[in-house]
Amino acid sequence: MDGDGASSTGATPSEEMNGTGNLMDFLDEPFPDVSTYEDFHTIDWLREKSRDTDRHRKITIKSKESYWELIKSLLDAWSGWVVMLLIGMLTGTLAGVIDLAVDWMTDLKEGVCLSAFYYSREQCCWTSNETTFDDRDKCPQWQKWAELMTGHSEGAGAYVLNYFLYVLWALLFSFLAVSLVRVFAPYACGSGIPEIKTILSGFIIRGYLGKWTLLIKTVTLVLAVSSGLSLGKEGPLVHVACCCGNLFCSLFSKYSKNEGKRREVLSAAAAAGVSVAFGAPIGGVLFSLEEVSYYFPLKTLWRSFFAALVAAFTLRAINPFGNSRLVLFYVEYHTPWYMAELVPFILLGVFGGLWGTLFIRGNIAWCRRRKTTLLGKYPVLEVIVITGITAVLAFPNPYTRRSTSELISELFNDCGALESSQLCDYVNNPNMSRPVDDIPDRPAGPGVYSALWQLALALIFKIVITIFTFGMKIPSGLFIPSMAVGAIAGRIVGIAVEQMAYHHHDWIIFKNWCRPGADCVTPGLYAMVGAAACLGGVTRMTVSLVVIMFELTGGLEYIVPLMAAAVTSKWVADAFGKEGIYESHIQLNGYPYLDVRDEFTHRTLATDVMRPRRSEPPLAVLTQDSTTVEDVETLIKDTDYNGFPVVVSRESERLIGFVQRRELTVAIKTARQKQDGVVSSSVVYFTEDNPQVAEACDPQPLKLRRILNLSPFTVTDHTPMETVVDIFRKLGLRQCLVTRSGRLLGIITKKDVLRHMAQMMNQDPESIMFN
């Protein structure tokens, strides 16, 4: 555990006696068993900011000494932009590779391309010269497995063989994914966004953004999405982007040695991740600002924008979808929306809020069960079983068999004259002679009705299976499954409204805006609004959600329907519980995340929360001039506190300052190695005056005044907890000391604050497991 305290300079023990030298040089020296911050502990934002200010001041002073130092200072200033460029390029490249691999492997479950086995179905048909317009859904170069193996493409035997191989491929992909995660990178599982949020708030999870995690997450993400499970790649892409950010941070000491600066880079990397996941650079920046970042200064906003831009450019250059677009869902609607349609849009918002609540409660209950029962001990078996159930139930329904991205793309699409989808099987008027883009509302044909039944079954299937899929030990995003649920519900509502408008155009609600023979209702727009509503209900995003949706679809004039649905879904979901899915998972894992949006309205005081309580042993403190080196080493060995308050004496308890565990450890190790005469019985001094050696036989004293933080954050015992919580949030404190008239009474850590808040909300305070 490492602690609060300031960035303070000091002298080496041997030079301290003469008032020269700088202990901070030694504090940066690596010791095998002493790290700046321990794993699963929180950083001190004030200390990191102070250290960066000191570093910047030194560079500015040095830059006036010579041209070389000036060039070095300019390189230091530009290093932030260089890191953003590298993050954007690597993230965009990885996203393009993932998209191409997912397309190929998803199609591999159904068949193979004869001309080149590494082509997906779409690429195979593009390259085929034998594909005609009438048979545009079939191409001779692409063969299903049954046709390839037996020569028959129709009949019960071919269907059963295709069914069997579809399930087999799905099981193989998911088994490979969970095995790789389990063996090589346990942190590569899940969405990653709850952990990224916690890391950006200042928490340390070593290895979570490491090279192995990056490699395994990229590979297993392709396998997991290709297996056909109800999950997406968008959330994990944020984790992948942050791994890229962490990788490039290690190349620049400005970021590798300062955890606060590193988190600025990671905030920008998260924006790049969403930028390539949805092809939404502006939405990515807003997502990072609204959803994941804890500390987001203005320069991080600009750098996030630049990283998102570079990532989007790189993805566009790779062009994974072959349509010169950044996304699969790009749509163009030819009909404006009408005021009366706000009613169904708001109803879709209500559905999104209810679905969000159902999903969060169901998924958290299942994940809690996974943590507390035998189920958690068999992650591979769980993944295999869920994959088997998903594949067996998904294959018979064409809407669940295909990849979820393709399903959403079809649901968003407007029915043009060339569409061959079942959803576009309308009864055409033979006398119709209109432009292709302006097809009037028509009565639904048998294909539309059968598609509605299949969509209704797909909706129930997606709602249930997603609850059990999210949180398994494989990379699993939530954006795409949530959007799929909303898009299916929206398309069903859209077709219903369209048919009502066609058959009852004389009703008062349709009379003003829907004339007979006009193109009034666009069912695809309802699917888009439903997708936004469900995603908003699960994540509680608002502004970034609307921007992502219109960047995703190109539907700029449909901002108002999207806003209405997003706000409604948030209101409805918030009525049942304030936490979104990511906050709920943070709580479930016991991470020390102090949410800026939480309100603390209880009338408790600092004295009610501080440690030690009456029944506990007294606070571990150091005295300014009567503690020996042995006493300090024993205290460090017997406790795991971040640091120790320094007082005048144990009788007076007058507070002088706070010394960090790590700096104390390094200073004593350094003194023992580099200064003669420092032994276990040497007295440690934190006073300003030089200690006097009474007799020649007395051991050499050790003065550590320079590592003492003389201005630790303190509150009085009667400070309202509402104020204390606000201070912890806004300053990013790890702990503050509680005093009365300058006398030390106790300490409040971030963990104490979180436990007290949980207690006040009738939750289990022991669920907060980390500091």
Side-chain angles (χ1 to χ4, degrees):
M1 241 192 193
D2 216 86
D4 194 309
S7 168
S8 46
T9 55
T12 66
S14 57
E15 293 168 324
E16 180 75 69
M17 311 300 280
N18 307 318
T20 60
N22 191 337
L23 183 66
M24 293 304 285
D25 296 339
F26 291 103
L27 296 183
D28 285 335
E29 283 189 9
F31 280 93
D33 54 342
V34 183
S35 57
T36 310
Y37 293 106
E38 298 289 327
D39 203 3
F40 298 115
H41 287 87
T42 308
I43 70 165
D44 185 343
W45 286 95
L46 284 180
R47 176 173 177 262
E48 297 300 312
K49 190 165 177 52
S50 175
R51 285 180 61 199
D52 187 58
T53 307
D54 286 348
R55 187 194 65 83
H56 200 265
R57 195 183 297 120
K58 282 180 190 170
I59 287 173
T60 307
I61 292 166
K62 279 187 174 180
S63 66
K64 295 171 184 172
E65 294 173 2
S66 67
Y67 280 118
W68 173 238
E69 292 296 339
L70 178 65
I71 291 167
K72 277 166 72 175
S73 72
L74 290 172
L75 289 172
D76 180 78
W78 272 93
S79 62
W81 297 101
V82 172
V83 169
M84 295 306 135
L85 179 71
L86 295 171
I87 289 169
M89 290 170 69
L90 183 57
T91 305
T93 305
L94 288 175
V97 170
I98 288 169
D99 284 336
L100 290 167
V102 164
D103 276 359
W104 173 63
M105 289 176 71
T106 303
D107 288 341
L108 192 65
K109 290 186 301 189
E110 294 191 49
V112 69
C113 185
L114 298 180
S115 54
F117 76 94
Y118 48 84
Y119 278 169
S120 68
R121 176 175 179 148
E122 198 171 5
Q123 290 169 324
C124 191
C125 296
W126 283 341
T127 54
S128 172
N129 297 323
E130 301 166 47
T131 308
T132 61
F133 183 77
D134 293 332
D135 292 327
R136 57 190 177 281
D137 288 338
K138 301 172 188 171
C139 63
Q141 291 299 319
W142 177 264
Q143 284 197 356
K144 290 191 175 179
W145 291 112
E147 189 180 356
L148 190 68
M149 291 175 175
T150 63
H152 302 291
S153 58
E154 304 295 331
Y159 182 83
V160 169
L161 184 56
N162 282 330
Y163 198 156
F164 173 74
L165 286 168
Y166 178 90
V167 174
L168 201 64
W169 278 112
L171 290 170
L172 175 66
F173 291 159
S174 64
F175 175 71
L176 280 173
V178 71
S179 301
L180 286 170
V181 167
R182 196 166 159 74
V183 175
F184 295 107
Y187 283 150
C189 66
S191 156
I193 292 180
E195 284 77 11
I196 297 295
K197 282 187 76 156
T198 313
I199 288 169
L200 290 180
S201 77
F203 195 54
I204 301 277
I205 309 179
R206 299 211 184 283
Y208 199 82
L209 301 175
K211 300 181 189 72
W212 267 111
T213 307
L214 172 62
L215 177 65
I216 299 299
K217 186 112 185 180
T218 306
V219 173
T220 55
L221 181 55
V222 173
L223 290 163
V225 175
S226 304
S227 70
L229 282 162
S230 184
L231 47 82
K233 60 181 185 294
E234 285 64 24
L237 271 173
V238 174
H239 186 183
V240 166
C242 287
C243 288
C244 297
N246 192 54
L247 180 71
F248 292 122
C249 277
S250 60
L251 304 179
F252 298 86
S253 62
K254 175 180 176 179
Y255 297 110
S256 62
K257 290 185 178 178
N258 191 302
E259 293 291 345
K261 296 292 289 178
R262 187 196 296 265
R263 274 149 185 75
E264 290 179 24
V265 172
L266 297 180
S267 288
V274 175
S275 170
V276 292
F278 290 112
I282 301 168
V285 175
L286 290 174
F287 175 82
S288 181
L289 174 61
E290 181 186 357
E291 192 60 27
V292 295
S293 293
Y294 196 82
Y295 173 62
F296 204 84
L298 193 59
K299 65 179 177 184
T300 304
L301 181 73
W302 301 333
R303 287 178 178 175
S304 301
F305 187 78
F306 179 65
L309 173 75
V310 172
F313 265 138
T314 308
L315 186 64
R316 172 67 182 77
I318 294 171
N319 194 15
F321 302 113
N323 57 2
S324 301
R325 306 279 182 199
L326 290 173
V327 283
L328 195 58
F329 315 136
Y330 191 84
V331 288
E332 290 180 60
Y333 301 132
H334 306 287
T335 317
W337 63 276
Y338 299 91
M339 284 302 290
E341 289 184 286
L342 274 178
V343 176
F345 292 154
I346 288 169
L347 287 174
L348 284 170
V350 172
F351 171 78
L354 293 172
W355 144 250
T357 305
L358 168 73
F359 175 78
I360 290 169
R361 291 194 177 174
N363 181 252
I364 292 297
W366 180 250
C367 288
R368 190 169 282 121
R369 189 174 178 79
R370 184 187 285 132
K371 271 179 172 289
T372 55
T373 62
L374 279 172
L375 187 69
K377 293 184 179 176
Y378 304 103
V380 178
L381 183 64
E382 184 193 5
V383 170
I384 294 294
V385 169
I386 298 287
T387 307
I389 293 169
T390 305
V392 167
L393 295 178
F395 187 84
N397 187 337
Y399 292 107
T400 49
R401 185 190 312 171
R402 70 189 64 184
S403 78
T404 317
S405 298
E406 286 176 19
L407 169 64
I408 295 170
S409 182
E410 183 170 333
L411 294 169
F412 280 8
N413 263 340
D414 194 10
C415 283
L418 309 179
E419 290 293 334
S420 58
S421 164
Q422 253 194 318
L423 285 168
C424 296
D425 182 25
Y426 289 93
V427 178
N428 286 313
N429 181 354
N431 301 323
M432 182 183 77
S433 58
R434 282 174 173 273
V436 165
D437 286 346
D438 188 21
I439 298 172
D441 286 350
R442 299 160 289 170
V448 173
Y449 288 115
S450 69
L452 282 176
W453 276 110
Q454 289 169 342
L455 283 177
L457 291 170
L459 179 64
I460 295 164
F461 170 69
K462 287 278 182 193
I463 285 174
V464 174
I465 205 72
T466 308
I467 289 172
F468 296 99
T469 305
F470 187 69
M472 291 197 302
K473 296 296 179 190
I474 49 171
S476 53
L478 191 59
F479 284 30
I480 289 291
S482 302
M483 286 173 67
V485 167
I488 293 169
R491 187 75 185 210
I492 292 169
V493 171
I495 291 171
V497 172
E498 180 192 47
Q499 293 307 302
M500 278 171 63
Y502 177 80
H503 291 292
H504 305 283
H505 52 77
D506 52 342
W507 285 8
I508 192 161
I509 53 167
F510 299 122
K511 217 169 192 177
N512 296 330
W513 56 277
C514 196
R515 300 181 314 278
D519 182 13
C520 307
V521 180
T522 309
L525 170 61
Y526 286 75
M528 190 165 97
V529 170
C534 282
L535 187 51
V538 170
T539 61
R540 308 296 159 84
M541 295 191 301
T542 49
V543 181
S544 53
L545 171 65
V546 172
V547 174
I548 284 170
M549 286 305 294
F550 82 69
E551 281 191 277
L552 185 66
T553 56
L556 194 61
E557 65 184 283
Y558 302 107
I559 288 179
V560 174
L562 290 169
M563 286 171 76
V567 169
T568 309
S569 74
K570 181 170 171 59
W571 281 344
V572 171
D574 279 352
F576 293 96
K578 295 284 183 194
E579 290 87 16
I581 186 66
Y582 302 131
E583 291 76 21
S584 300
H585 272 269
I586 287 170
Q587 273 186 13
L588 181 71
N589 292 324
Y591 295 137
Y593 183 73
L594 202 52
D595 199 337
V596 187
R597 291 171 284 197
D598 284 345
E599 292 177 14
F600 187 85
T601 53
H602 305 281
R603 299 181 66 119
T604 48
L605 301 175
T607 189
D608 302 324
V609 181
M610 72 178 191
R611 298 294 183 94
R613 307 276 163 79
R614 285 181 184 173
S615 58
E616 294 175 345
L619 195 64
V621 296
L622 300 172
T623 55
Q624 67 172 0
D625 55 7
S626 60
T627 311
T628 64
V629 169
E630 187 178 14
D631 294 337
V632 175
E633 288 178 330
T634 305
L635 190 62
I636 290 170
K637 186 181 173 185
D638 293 347
T639 64
D640 58 355
Y641 302 133
N642 293 331
F644 307 96
V646 178
V647 294
V648 174
S649 68
R650 293 186 189 279
E651 294 74 36
S652 73
E653 292 282 330
R654 293 279 173 194
L655 180 67
I656 292 176
F658 191 89
V659 63
Q660 293 182 75
R661 180 193 189 86
R662 190 236 178 200
E663 295 189 353
L664 196 58
T665 309
V666 173
I668 290 175
K669 278 181 180 258
T670 307
R672 281 190 177 278
Q673 288 175 9
K674 299 183 184 284
Q675 182 182 342
D676 294 332
V678 173
V679 291
S680 295
S681 56
S682 297
V683 178
V684 177
Y685 284 87
F686 293 99
T687 53
E688 198 161 0
D689 302 323
N690 284 334
Q692 300 300 317
V693 181
E695 297 177 23
C697 60
D698 285 352
Q700 183 82 13
L702 175 59
K703 185 179 177 188
L704 296 179
R705 171 80 171 184
R706 293 287 182 91
I707 67 166
L708 182 65
N709 174 19
L710 292 164
S711 55
F713 212 94
T714 59
V715 294
T716 65
D717 55 335
H718 281 85
T719 307
M721 271 310 290
E722 189 178 356
T723 307
V724 175
V725 170
D726 227 26
I727 289 168
F728 268 86
R729 272 198 197 120
K730 290 178 177 171
L731 295 181
L733 296 183
R734 304 183 74 195
Q735 65 257 323
C736 75
L737 303 172
V738 183
T739 60
R740 182 194 290 161
S741 307
R743 186 169 168 270
L744 179 67
L745 295 182
I747 188 168
I748 298 176
T749 64
K750 189 175 182 181
K751 187 177 184 179
D752 295 328
V753 172
L754 286 160
R755 284 187 163 176
H756 181 66
M757 289 174 74
Q759 211 167 357
M760 292 291 104
M761 291 188 282
N762 297 318
Q763 295 170 354
D764 178 18
E766 296 306 313
S767 64
I768 310 297
M769 293 183 288
F770 304 109
N771 291 299

